[in-house]
Amino acid sequence: MWLTQELQFPGDHPTAAGHFPGNPVVPGALLLDAVMAAIAGERGAVTIRATKFLQPVRPGERLELRWQPVGGALFRFECRRAGDDTLAMSGTLETGAATP
């Protein structure tokens, strides 16, 4: 079973001006930070095991973050564009504590 949360970075996000001028994209580090915060919450440290950036994400685009536990403290996640369901990013991460 997938858990979900909407992610959206405003069109005027400070990174939009410099990453990249005239063709802004949301930096991968910002996307990963949002993913880790949503999945790990209060579980402590997070280790990113694998990540694939498959499509650029533009400021203002809505994403659906989906994740599911795959054993112990390991989670699989996907970020898909809301509306057309295009896979923009996927990966696995491990939190500091196992799921109950």
Side-chain angles (χ1 to χ4, degrees):
M1 176 178 82
W2 291 97
L3 301 168
T4 63
Q5 179 177 320
E6 183 176 295
L7 298 178
Q8 186 174 21
F9 301 90
D12 62 351
H13 191 278
T15 61
H19 202 85
F20 297 94
N23 191 21
V25 297
V26 176
L30 191 59
L31 288 168
L32 282 173
D33 187 56
V35 167
M36 290 185 301
I39 297 172
E42 301 297 319
R43 293 189 183 105
V46 175
T47 302
I48 298 168
R49 296 292 178 197
T51 302
K52 290 184 181 181
F53 296 97
L54 303 163
Q55 296 287 320
V57 175
R58 308 285 177 202
E61 284 186 315
R62 288 184 314 112
L63 299 173
E64 179 185 57
L65 167 62
R66 303 188 317 181
W67 71 94
Q68 63 184 1
V70 291
L74 193 65
F75 292 84
R76 185 173 92 178
F77 67 87
E78 298 179 346
C79 285
R80 294 183 172 272
R81 284 199 180 88
D84 70 5
D85 203 38
T86 302
L87 184 60
M89 179 175 72
S90 65
T92 55
L93 62 79
E94 189 172 2
T95 64
T99 56

